Amino acid sequence: MGKALKIVVLAKQVPDTRNVGKDAMKADGTVNRAALPAIFNPEDLNALEQALVIKDTLPGSTVHILTMGPPRAADIIRDAMFRGADGGILLTDRKFAGADTLATSYALSRALLKIKPDIIVAGRQAIDGDTAQVGPQVAEKLGWPQVTYAECIETIDEKQIVIKRRLEHGIESVSCPLPMLFTVNSSAPECRMANAKRVMKYKYAKTPGELQELQSDYISDLCAGRSYLCIEEWGVSDIECREEELGLQGSPTKVKKIENVVLQAKESKRLTGADADIDSLMAELIASHTLG
Ligand SMILES: Cc1cc2nc3c(=O)[nH]c(=O)nc-3n(C[C@H](O)[C@H](O)[C@H](O)COP(=O)(O)OP(=O)(O)OC[C@H]3O[C@@H](n4cnc5c(N)ncnc54)[C@H](O)[C@@H]3O)c2cc1C
């Protein structure tokens, strides 16, 4: 049996952009977060499942979530704990706000230097920013090897991991020494469901900020006696970093304008499976140089 590993999953709470209605954007072009439910970024759930598979394979391994976001992002840490994670760290501070991918990956990598994991697992991409840059940038900043587009783990021990990658034109198996980072595709297995016993155990898991907000002696006393109910909360002063590289001031990218583009089909043609229809379509496609 291999050595237990320390695994960190990078996860982001995102507005559910899959069900965007007409009031999803404000007049000034910013996202109307109040109109969209906040969810666990879908591919980060695929990433969590892969981390839990490692924990199942190498008993004694731990899985923690690291998320940078507003106080309510603690919800996804609790959700992950219900599904099998051991706990998590919420990186929250006004100074992190307005971060682009460069400032986000800088803040996350500074927190990871403090956590010292063996493996970092991230989703391929977040459904709000859609850049797919944060995972690879974190690996680069740590100077760690990375594997992208992961679909499943083929083998793992304390020294190396073999990962199946899903690429546009096929699959690839790559081996990589630890410590390393990999990003997971949506084609990877879905995350296991919340477990009823774990929901009962972790439903009162809170950050210090949430406890302060709740002002409930009952829940505060409960958390004080049970360290597994304490979700860690780190601000800028908890990580070693250069403040000028964080948040808005550390972000060279500025989103200037967001437009609502409605695609409309200008014309359509209905064809049957008859030879004459297929022949005329082929002739048209060849004439327009779409084929041939
Ligand atoms: C409409 C829109 C457009 C944007 N365009 C740009 C742009 O062009 N350039 C730019 O630099 N920024 C852009 N941003 C900002 C960008 O969303 C944020 O910088 C964000 O913090 C990280 O980028 P992402 O959402 O694209 O993440 P991705 O790089 O797509 O995320 C990949 C993975 O990294 C991890 N991850 C990402 N964010 C976090 C987090 N906060 N905490 C923990 N793990 C995380 C997750 O595992 C995630 O699956 C845009 C934001 C919006 C809303």
Side-chain angles (χ1 to χ4, degrees), residues 234-292:
W234 293 354
V236 169
S237 58
D238 296 302
I239 56 173
E240 261 181 50
C241 61
R242 288 181 297 275
E243 279 195 26
E244 63 277 16
E245 291 190 38
L246 298 171
L248 203 56
Q249 64 164 331
S251 299
T253 314
K254 308 278 177 265
V255 179
K256 281 175 98 172
K257 191 175 168 195
I258 295 177
E259 281 183 72
N260 229 342
V261 179
V262 182
L263 299 174
Q264 280 171 335
K266 287 212 179 82
E267 58 183 39
S268 64
K269 198 177 266 185
R270 202 171 279 273
L271 297 172
T272 68
D275 285 351
D277 275 3
I278 304 289
D279 286 349
S280 77
L281 175 67
M282 292 302 287
E284 211 174 297
L285 291 174
I286 290 165
S288 67
H289 301 293
T290 309
L291 283 185

Side-chain angles (χ1 to χ4, degrees), residues 49-223:
E49 177 58 27
Q50 291 308 305
L52 294 173
V53 167
I54 301 175
K55 185 177 158 157
D56 295 341
T57 312
L58 299 174
S61 297
T62 55
V63 174
H64 284 85
I65 299 290
L66 174 63
T67 186
M68 184 177 94
R72 70 171 178 167
D75 284 345
I76 62 168
I77 299 180
R78 263 185 300 278
D79 186 357
M81 290 163 87
F82 297 160
R83 294 169 190 262
D86 298 276
I89 298 161
L90 170 68
L91 212 50
T92 191
D93 197 306
R94 283 191 179 280
K95 291 179 184 155
F96 294 129
D100 68 1
T101 62
L102 199 68
T104 300
S105 58
Y106 177 67
L108 293 174
S109 63
R110 300 312 290 182
L112 287 158
L113 283 175
K114 183 169 168 177
I115 303 170
K116 298 187 175 63
D118 301 297
I119 297 187
I120 303 167
V121 196
R124 178 187 56 105
Q125 140 172 332
I127 60 169
D128 58 346
D130 265 355
T131 65
Q133 290 170 2
V134 171
Q137 284 178 349
V138 167
E140 191 61 31
K141 286 190 163 67
L142 295 172
W144 284 20
Q146 58 177 290
V147 176
T148 52
Y149 299 113
E151 198 168 70
C152 72
I153 295 158
E154 291 182 340
T155 60
I156 180 154
D157 59 36
E158 69 268 33
K159 289 209 180 84
Q160 91 164 4
I161 185 166
V162 179
I163 289 177
K164 184 170 105 182
R165 303 178 73 210
R166 168 71 51 184
L167 304 170
E168 214 174 336
H169 300 295
I171 55 168
E172 190 179 82
S173 257
V174 286
S175 68
C176 182
L178 305 190
M180 60 86 67
L181 177 150
F182 67 99
T183 68
V184 182
N185 279 353
S186 57
S187 61
E190 272 183 31
C191 190
R192 60 198 69 181
M193 303 292 279
N195 168 294
K197 275 193 189 155
R198 296 186 68 90
V199 173
M200 294 310 288
K201 181 171 175 186
Y202 292 111
K203 65 181 174 184
Y204 291 122
K206 302 278 178 219
T207 62
E210 287 176 315
L211 285 178
Q212 215 171 357
E213 185 114 319
L214 267 173
Q215 300 224 334
S216 157
D217 289 342
Y218 171 70
I219 298 178
S220 295
D221 290 348
L222 206 65
C223 291

